[in-house]
Amino acid sequence: MLVSTKDMMTKAVAGHYAVGQFNINNLEWTKAILLTAQENSSPVILGVSEGAGKYMCGFTTVVGMVSAMINELGITVPVALHLDHGTFEGAKKCINAGFSSIMFDGSHYPIEENLEKTKALVNTCDVLGLSLEAEVGAIGGEEDGVIGAGECADPDECKMIADLGVTMLAAGIGNIHGKYPENWPGLSFETLAAVKEKVGDMPLVLHGGTGIPDDMITKAISLGVAKINVNTECQLVFQEATRKYIEDGKDLVGKGFDPRKLLAPGFDAIKAKVKEKMEIFGSIGKA
Ligand code: 13P
């Protein structure tokens, strides 16, 4: 059964660890992440961007696939199915489709509009028992065609959004989606501490988990980050493992062309990466 992130977030804040959001793209991704969470007794959040939702034939297909897989694989750890960087319309579609958690990203709107739209979704999600993530201060980089310049959130605006009663808050602290450039100055812990000071125990979300050094992750968790999103890093290890399989000519031997064989190294690579992240985030054994 899908659950909201509310309970996971409360426990993560109290226990000083973070739950990973791993984005899914297809059946292999979903299966790899669910099995890894189960094997390591970790709660997990499956992230779905609007683009990935479209690719997987729509949000109802995603809900059907994930729910059925939880049953068929005997997954008993808490699993949330979460819309990643949703538009207002996308959020409504995911709510109707049966997602258990929603991110409404209104960070590109003026703060008044972000507040107004987020508030409308707080009410709907509350009634339905869903968790809601809001965003203040755009995350930089490019994801699914959405390009953010990357800015540090205003702690006062974070407080305004937090006071609406959202479940968790993504505040820009110099993090960006995708690979970090060589000259990246690192996370702004000054901003994170200032946000934490304003929002208290509100679980904070760190986007752009790919490539953030472990010591920065640990420090961010100590300053209130309870959810960390990882997408690109799983894509990169999948690519690398698949490339190696083909470059080694394994697809040309026997039935090496069978997609179940062809995709297996990438599948295993995602599992290893997700486990590594769960270890760093401290969520292993917390289900
Ligand atoms: P990365 O692709 O940089 O890991 O970011 C993922 C993310 O933040 C999804 O919202």
Side-chain angles (χ1 to χ4, degrees):
M1 201 188 77
L2 294 170
V3 296
S4 87
T5 66
K6 288 184 189 180
D7 195 40
M8 298 181 195
M9 289 296 106
T10 310
K11 288 180 178 156
V13 169
H16 305 289
Y17 62 90
V19 179
Q21 171 191 308
F22 301 97
N23 285 48
I24 58 171
N25 291 288
N26 59 17
L27 182 141
E28 280 73 19
W29 242 259
T30 312
K31 182 176 163 187
I33 297 163
L34 286 177
L35 285 176
T36 308
Q38 183 69 21
E39 285 160 13
N40 294 286
S41 288
S42 171
V44 73
I45 300 166
L46 301 179
V48 180
S49 66
E50 293 197 8
K54 200 169 163 194
Y55 175 79
M56 290 185 276
C57 307
F59 298 130
T60 54
T61 308
V62 177
V63 171
M65 175 180 72
V66 173
S67 305
M69 217 184 260
I70 288 173
N71 284 337
E72 294 283 349
L73 296 174
I75 305 293
T76 54
V77 296
V79 179
L81 181 58
H82 179 79
L83 171 64
D84 189 28
H85 292 284
T87 58
F88 195 69
E89 284 311 307
K92 286 197 280 188
K93 279 189 193 157
C94 284
I95 290 169
N96 289 331
F99 274 53
S100 64
S101 188
I102 301 293
M103 175 186 189
F104 167 61
D105 181 358
S107 61
H108 51 287
Y109 291 119
I111 185 66
E112 295 74 24
E113 198 171 348
N114 190 1
L115 281 164
E116 185 193 316
K117 289 191 158 72
T118 303
K119 189 172 184 335
L121 289 166
V122 166
N123 297 337
T124 314
C125 289
D126 263 358
V127 172
L128 297 169
L130 311 180
S131 37
L132 179 67
E133 175 178 339
E135 179 170 326
V136 179
I139 314 294
E142 193 262 335
E143 191 185 43
D144 237 349
V146 180
I147 298 168
E151 58 185 62
C152 283
D154 173 342
D156 289 315
E157 293 185 358
C158 291
K159 167 115 180 87
M160 286 190 254
I161 293 263
D163 285 350
L164 296 176
V166 298
T167 317
M168 51 220 172
L169 176 68
I173 55 167
N175 42 331
I176 61 171
H177 291 125
K179 293 181 188 174
Y180 284 88
E182 288 288 316
N183 59 355
W184 179 55
L187 296 175
S188 168
F189 290 112
E190 207 185 345
T191 307
L192 182 55
V195 170
K196 165 90 182 139
E197 168 93 31
K198 292 276 180 188
V199 303
D201 272 349
M202 163 68 51
L204 298 172
V205 183
L206 182 61
H207 282 249
T210 293
I212 299 179
D214 295 357
D215 59 330
M216 284 194 201
I217 294 281
T218 308
K219 187 160 181 197
I221 294 172
S222 77
L223 287 168
V225 165
K227 172 176 178 281
I228 303 175
N229 294 4
V230 178
N231 184 14
T232 307
E233 220 164 312
C234 289
Q235 299 183 353
L236 291 170
V237 294
F238 180 87
Q239 175 214 21
E240 201 182 319
T242 310
R243 170 182 286 276
K244 183 164 188 331
Y245 181 87
I246 292 177
E247 281 183 352
D248 287 353
K250 293 189 177 158
D251 57 321
L252 302 172
V253 180
K255 279 213 152 204
F257 56 84
D258 179 338
R260 281 175 259 167
K261 293 203 166 99
L262 184 67
L263 299 178
F267 172 86
D268 291 338
I270 294 171
K271 285 194 72 195
K273 180 53 74 181
V274 170
K275 182 175 180 192
E276 178 193 313
K277 293 292 171 189
M278 286 175 166
E279 273 164 358
I280 299 165
F281 300 167
S283 71
I284 289 188
K286 299 293 185 349

